[in-house]
Amino acid sequence: MMLVVLLGAPGAGKGTQAAVLRDRLGIPHVATGDLFRTALRAATPIGLEAKAYMDAGQLVPDDVTIRMLEERLGRPDAAAGAILDGFPRTAVQARALDAFLAARGGRVDAALLIDVPAEDLVARLSGRWICRAAGHPYHATMNPPRVAGTCDLDGSPLYQRDDDRPETIRARLASQLADLDAVVEHYRSTGALRTVDGREPIGEVSAALGAALEAVAAGTSGRA
Ligand code: ADP
Ligand code: ADP
């Protein structure tokens, strides 16, 4: 089992890099934000509960989020592992994940922090467009699709998320960055943390993440 956690502020590039890692590692990309958006489209109780928090730029409560994530990791396609994107987002979630994995003889093999300074995040998020079908991320200027308004990978239409409006972006950054710090400290203390410079172009960030994973697999890299 290979369990990789991608850490980063909103807009750091977790979704973008998770897609690359999924192809490289052959394990599913599990994004709690995508699970909430899918649940909302299906109007399930979890989706409806999450909506108010997402619209306000706040985190959905830990108990709901942890239950949803554990259900997802229990599905057969995650038996060999997963790349987690957007989970854990609090220290409580991080400890719950450790306990869930320990009960199955596993652990978080690598927690990869994509480090982007706060001042770059507003431009990343306000220019973000994602596809209807699978949430593949693009950026109006930094990573445009080949055909405007259309996903390169599956041809579905691109849209801007409700929570990528300027007011909600500010609320998300204001309320979520302290929790990210707590999660980063959690993985620094377990020794799983590796940090890459997320200001570099997408391909260079991918290469740095690949190198960090190889170092973890070889057991050669020291702490971040
Ligand atoms: P997250 O999942 O961490 O919120 P995304 O992967 O959705 O972040 O990326 C946020 C936005 O920034 C998207 O518009 C994406 O195209 C763009 N982006 C991602 N990585 C980079 C990068 N290295 N340089 C410039 N823009 C990037
Ligand atoms: P981003 O890609 O910008 O980081 P996500 O798609 O991961 O955003 O998450 C969107 C929203 O979904 C978050 O602002 C939050 O309300 C909710 N959410 C996602 N993951 C979690 C989580 N692990 N814990 C609590 N809330 C979450």
Side-chain angles (χ1 to χ4, degrees):
M1 190 187 198
M2 176 79 178
L3 209 296
V4 176
V5 166
L6 277 179
L7 299 177
K14 301 180 298 295
T16 301
Q17 298 299 335
V20 177
L21 288 179
R22 175 197 46 213
D23 294 343
R24 188 187 172 112
L25 299 174
I27 49 179
H29 167 199
V30 172
T32 38
D34 289 345
L35 295 176
F36 284 131
R37 281 183 289 276
T38 301
L40 179 57
R41 273 199 292 273
T44 68
I46 282 192
L48 297 173
E49 179 175 356
K51 178 177 168 35
Y53 295 97
M54 295 172 79
D55 286 348
Q58 287 174 0
L59 293 179
V60 180
D62 284 331
D63 56 344
V64 178
T65 307
I66 290 166
R67 249 185 291 128
M68 178 180 73
L69 187 274
E70 292 186 351
E71 189 275 325
R72 177 65 188 86
L73 287 185
R75 287 192 224 156
D77 68 325
I83 299 148
L84 299 189
D85 157 11
F87 188 99
R89 262 181 154 98
T90 65
V92 170
Q93 293 179 12
R95 288 193 293 269
L97 178 62
D98 286 347
F100 178 86
L101 294 172
R104 287 155 186 77
R107 63 183 173 125
V108 171
D109 296 285
L112 306 176
L113 171 63
I114 305 174
D115 197 19
V116 174
E119 63 265 26
D120 293 357
L121 298 171
V122 177
R124 293 266 185 110
L125 293 169
S126 53
R128 174 160 67 182
W129 290 78
I130 64 173
C131 84
R132 283 272 172 223
H136 298 123
Y138 296 87
H139 192 280
T141 55
M142 293 182 249
N143 181 31
R146 283 195 292 272
V147 178
T150 306
C151 180
D152 291 353
L153 299 174
D154 57 35
S156 77
L158 304 183
Y159 75 103
Q160 290 193 288
R161 279 168 39 182
D162 284 344
D163 59 348
D164 283 344
R165 295 203 184 102
E167 327 70 88
T168 321
I169 290 173
R170 280 193 292 275
R172 284 157 70 200
L173 296 176
S175 73
Q176 297 187 18
L177 294 183
D179 285 309
L180 172 64
D181 286 345
V183 174
V184 168
E185 285 317 310
H186 177 87
Y187 291 115
R188 201 189 303 281
S189 72
T190 68
L193 184 69
R194 301 291 181 277
T195 302
V196 306
D197 183 354
R199 293 170 305 181
E200 298 293 325
I202 291 170
E204 291 179 31
V205 177
S206 302
L209 290 172
L213 275 178
E214 272 164 29
V216 167
T220 53
S221 161
R223 288 180 166 207

